[in-house]
Each structure stands twice: as C-alpha cells, then as structure tokens.
Amino acid sequence: MGAGKSTIGRQVAKRLDRPFYDCDKEIEARTGVDISTIFDYESEAGFRDRETAMLDELTRKEGIVLATGGGAILRPENRRMLHERGLVIYLSAAVETQVERTRHDQGRPLLHGTDPHLKLNELMAIRDPLYREAAHVTLKTDGQSVKAVARRIAQLLQNEDSAPH
C-alpha cells in the first residue's frame, strides 16, 4: 500500500505503449461501487473473492501492465497466477514512505479507524514474504521519482520481451 503500483504502472504502460489495468479500478468499474463499499457490504473475504476472479481474467491478457491491490498477494492462487502468467515486479517501500503517501487517501479501507504506522507495519510483516515469493524482481521506491522507477521497469520489460524463450 502506497508503494506506487498504480502511479508507476500507468507510467510504464505509457512508456511501452501498452494497455494499463488497475485491478481495484476494474472491480470498481464492474460493481459500480468503490472498494470501501465492497468491504462494508461483503467484508474483506467477499472483496478478495472478486479480486481473485478479476486477477484470473486480467492475467490471461498478453502485453499489458497490471497493478494489483496490495492484498492480492494474500491468496496462494493469486501468487501462483501472477508468477506464472507474467513478470512480477514487487515495488517495495518502507512503512514511513507508505504512511506519507497514504496520509490523505480516504480510499484505503484497511487504514480506516487505525493507527496507520501500526497497521502498515502489521501488513508489511505478513505481506512482504508473500510479495517476495511471487516476485521475479524487487525494486525499492523510497526516495525515487515515479519517472525513474517507471524507466527502470520499462527497461526490464523491454529486456524480457527481447530475451529468447
């Protein structure tokens, strides 16, 4: 959360002239409500079911850039789909960076009514090993501009595209 997945993903897609998909935005477009509302009505488990179905659909597309929600990595089937169907880049950010980047964002249901430092530390402890399991590449985004990280990822993807398979 707050590592820059959507912002950087958009830039990478633009640089490579590829379609960009944000899994959470696709879910919102299909349901007609925001993620917080889905959490309210269906709980986190209901949202995660929708997320898995959307990931299955999106990871079958070729030549796209996909930003997942931060919790997409929680389910083993999601990690497997992501790892097997594309090049997974884990954008890592320190909790302090995440707190700063999410401070004014009201669309983060897991941060509602909690101490953001405490919650983000808790999420990092659970999720970091899972991100590393699914990822082919890990990049730190702390103190880096969106353009610099997007440029690096675009280079990685271009190298991947030109590598023999």
Side-chain angles (χ1 to χ4, degrees):
M1 191 181 312
K5 296 177 298 296
S6 297
T7 304
I8 292 168
R10 271 193 226 62
Q11 287 289 317
V12 170
K14 186 176 176 182
R15 283 180 172 275
L16 298 176
D17 194 29
R18 292 185 181 187
F20 172 72
Y21 294 89
D22 179 310
C23 188
D24 286 353
K25 297 296 180 201
E26 293 296 314
I27 293 168
E28 289 177 339
R30 299 266 176 96
T31 61
V33 297
D34 63 22
I35 301 301
S36 293
T37 302
I38 296 170
F39 265 65
D40 289 345
Y41 283 92
E42 297 180 3
S43 77
E44 183 174 356
F47 169 73
R48 297 292 171 209
D49 290 342
R50 289 179 181 276
E51 182 177 58
T52 296
M54 184 60 68
L55 281 173
D56 185 39
E57 178 182 328
L58 293 173
T59 58
R60 292 178 187 279
K61 295 180 180 290
E62 293 191 22
I64 69 165
V65 175
L66 172 63
T68 67
I73 209 74
L74 294 171
R75 289 189 172 177
E77 62 266 41
N78 293 352
R79 293 193 299 277
R80 195 170 28 262
M81 266 190 278
L82 291 165
H83 189 83
E84 291 174 359
R85 297 179 186 173
L87 179 69
V88 179
I89 301 171
Y90 168 26
L91 300 179
S92 173
V95 169
E96 285 304 319
T97 301
Q98 293 175 304
V99 169
E100 181 60 32
R101 290 178 181 168
T102 60
R103 187 174 40 169
H104 300 295
D105 189 343
Q106 297 302 311
R108 309 277 184 174
L110 292 177
L111 295 182
H112 289 179
T114 67
D115 173 345
H117 286 90
L118 186 65
K119 186 62 175 183
L120 288 167
N121 272 309
E122 176 185 305
L123 292 173
M124 181 66 78
I126 295 165
R127 295 176 177 183
D128 183 69
L130 302 176
Y131 294 140
R132 291 181 188 282
E133 175 188 325
H136 297 96
V137 176
T138 299
L139 294 176
K140 289 200 165 289
T141 64
D142 302 290
Q144 301 218 26
S145 72
V146 168
K147 285 186 179 185
V149 176
R151 183 173 41 251
R152 176 74 181 115
I153 293 170
Q155 289 168 343
L156 286 168
L157 291 173
Q158 287 170 330
N159 291 343
E160 176 77 8
D161 287 347
S162 63
H165 290 85

